[in-house]
Amino acid sequence: MTLNFAGGLTVDPGTPPHLRIPSCRAAPADRAPKVMERMNIVLLGMAGPAGWPEPDCRCASCSRLRTTGARYEPTRVIVDGVPLEECSRWEVPGGFDVRTPRGERLLMAGGPGQCPEPIPDTVYDFALLDLLGHPEHLGLLRHRGAVTAATEVMAVHVDHRISSPRELERRLSWWRHPRSGPYRTLLLGGARSGKSVEAELRLAADPSVTYVATGVLRDDDPEWTARIDAHRERRPAWWQTIETADVARTLRTASGAVLIDGIGTWLAATMDAWNAWDDAGAIQPRVDELIEAWRTTEAHVVAVSDEVGLSLVPTNSGGRAFRDALGRLNQQLAAESEETALVIAGRVTDLL
């Protein structure tokens, strides 16, 4: 399959340079390898039906993009020189299955918010999806085997559901090419900072994720139960969920992608189990075990932890012991992480 985007897979001239894939020029005919001609895809636009920015829209996303002078045209696809709507295609729930005489297959979302269902037992050469609205659908397609490492994936129907092209680029870097392990990411943030949502977004397009939930349900705390239920409802159904405080064991045995939410609740459960609220040093063997498992894991791990150092000083000794122990643990995990970031008000800042 040949992709034309700014020379490789082409788009409208207004596309910002940092969202363009470098061009791939063919070798001269006398030196070109003899291979079967592949499907040629041209994107003349990749935005939603009204384009991006949308006319007269005053949202921050559209206003920000408008000030740069850039504009994304509505999604329009050319396949082997023929507009998509004139190609040999089959309607599927949520989009279209496009086929060429050579047997190549393309799966495309029909519009914003739509999730195209693959034809059973079909592996697609190309997938054009609404990744902004449903990145987890790409994970499901990979989970089912309809999208593989050889499938070219691209976002279409892009619009003001995202803050900026740079944020789109950041997310596409995870979704189009999921990481393999070992790789460790620590996400820090305060209460309701968006750190859990950020962690889930990073792994949304992975084919298989082990979700390690360290929070324990408590019958006497309906608010806490509601928080846990909200997290459960947000997770894709095909993710494996493990509710455990033995995070070290999971890190030692897991492969693929692992999401740990979170380190703070793990520490609280461990201090409870060891009755260590008056002597945090009592749990040091468990902390050492966790750090060693984190350092030696073979998985791609994203862990969420609370940044408690910016909050009020606890009024009791147990609270202060927890704050200090979690601060030290966060430092140790960060030191053994390829990537650490701070999430505030849903915005992410990388920590170097």
Side-chain angles (χ1 to χ4, degrees):
M1 180 182 297
T2 301
L3 309 178
N4 293 323
F5 187 104
L9 175 60
T10 61
V11 295
D12 58 283
T15 301
H18 64 274
L19 278 183
R20 297 182 180 178
I21 298 174
S23 63
C24 300
R25 301 185 181 277
D30 59 341
R31 293 191 287 113
K34 294 182 178 181
V35 297
M36 182 180 69
E37 184 181 356
R38 305 297 303 278
M39 181 189 293
N40 184 64
I41 305 294
V42 180
L43 283 185
L44 298 182
M46 58 186 295
W52 184 36
E54 294 190 2
D56 302 320
C57 179
R58 298 182 180 181
C59 78
S61 174
C62 288
S63 295
R64 186 182 295 113
L65 192 59
R66 197 175 290 118
T67 60
T68 69
R71 174 174 169 79
Y72 290 79
E73 296 300 321
T75 294
R76 185 182 173 203
V77 183
I78 306 296
V79 181
D80 286 342
V82 179
L84 180 70
E85 55 271 20
E86 299 177 15
C87 291
S88 176
R89 64 177 185 172
W90 283 255
E91 287 193 16
V92 297
F96 304 98
D97 176 295
V98 182
R99 313 178 192 187
T100 70
R102 295 181 295 275
E104 293 164 311
R105 306 290 284 271
L106 180 152
L107 184 67
M108 178 163 178
Q114 296 192 37
C115 300
E117 282 294 313
I119 301 295
D121 303 318
T122 299
V123 177
Y124 288 90
D125 300 287
F126 205 87
L128 299 174
L129 305 173
D130 177 23
L131 294 179
L132 286 188
H134 294 283
E136 77 285 350
H137 185 63
L138 176 54
L140 178 60
L141 293 174
R142 285 178 170 139
H143 182 75
R144 292 179 177 177
V147 169
T148 70
T151 304
E152 293 288 346
V153 176
M154 192 61 197
V156 291
H157 310 306
V158 174
D159 58 20
H160 56 190
R161 289 171 294 172
I162 198 164
S163 61
S164 67
R166 193 165 297 279
E167 176 62 14
L168 173 63
E169 179 186 26
R170 189 178 78 94
R171 296 186 188 185
L172 289 179
S173 69
W174 318 318
W175 296 339
R176 295 184 67 234
H177 305 289
R179 289 188 181 276
S180 58
Y183 194 90
R184 290 141 292 229
T185 299
L186 178 65
L187 297 176
L188 303 169
R192 304 298 194 188
S193 62
K195 58 188 182 297
S196 293
V197 171
E198 171 71 11
E200 292 161 12
L201 276 175
R202 288 181 179 233
L203 298 180
D206 279 60
S208 179
V209 178
T210 300
Y211 187 102
V212 182
T214 62
V216 179
L217 281 173
R218 297 194 295 265
D219 294 335
D220 61 341
D221 193 340
E223 181 184 356
W224 181 250
T225 299
R227 286 195 182 197
I228 292 178
D229 288 344
H231 281 234
R232 285 175 175 170
E233 292 173 4
R234 231 173 29 222
R235 296 196 291 268
W238 59 92
W239 286 15
Q240 178 190 12
T241 298
I242 300 175
E243 297 181 352
T244 181
D246 194 354
V247 176
R249 179 180 180 182
T250 302
L251 288 172
R252 286 194 297 266
T253 59
S255 59
V258 177
L259 195 161
I260 303 171
D261 196 355
I263 299 300
T265 47
W266 172 85
L267 181 63
T270 302
M271 292 179 75
D272 272 342
W274 288 66
N275 194 25
W277 292 99
D278 293 325
D279 180 16
I283 64 168
Q284 193 58 47
R286 295 295 304 275
V287 171
D288 293 341
E289 180 186 28
L290 175 64
I291 296 299
E292 179 62 16
W294 177 267
R295 188 180 68 83
T296 59
T297 187
E298 296 181 0
H300 172 206
V301 188
V302 177
V304 173
S305 189
D306 303 282
E307 177 48 69
V308 293
L310 301 178
S311 60
L312 297 175
V313 176
T315 59
N316 59 75
S317 60
R320 291 191 292 273
F322 173 80
R323 178 201 60 181
D324 293 348
L326 184 56
R328 289 191 294 268
L329 177 54
N330 285 343
Q331 290 186 56
Q332 291 176 281
L333 291 173
E336 297 290 350
S337 298
E338 284 82 357
E339 189 174 356
T340 304
L342 178 65
V343 184
I344 301 176
R347 299 300 180 93
V348 183
T349 298
D350 292 328
L351 304 178
L352 303 179

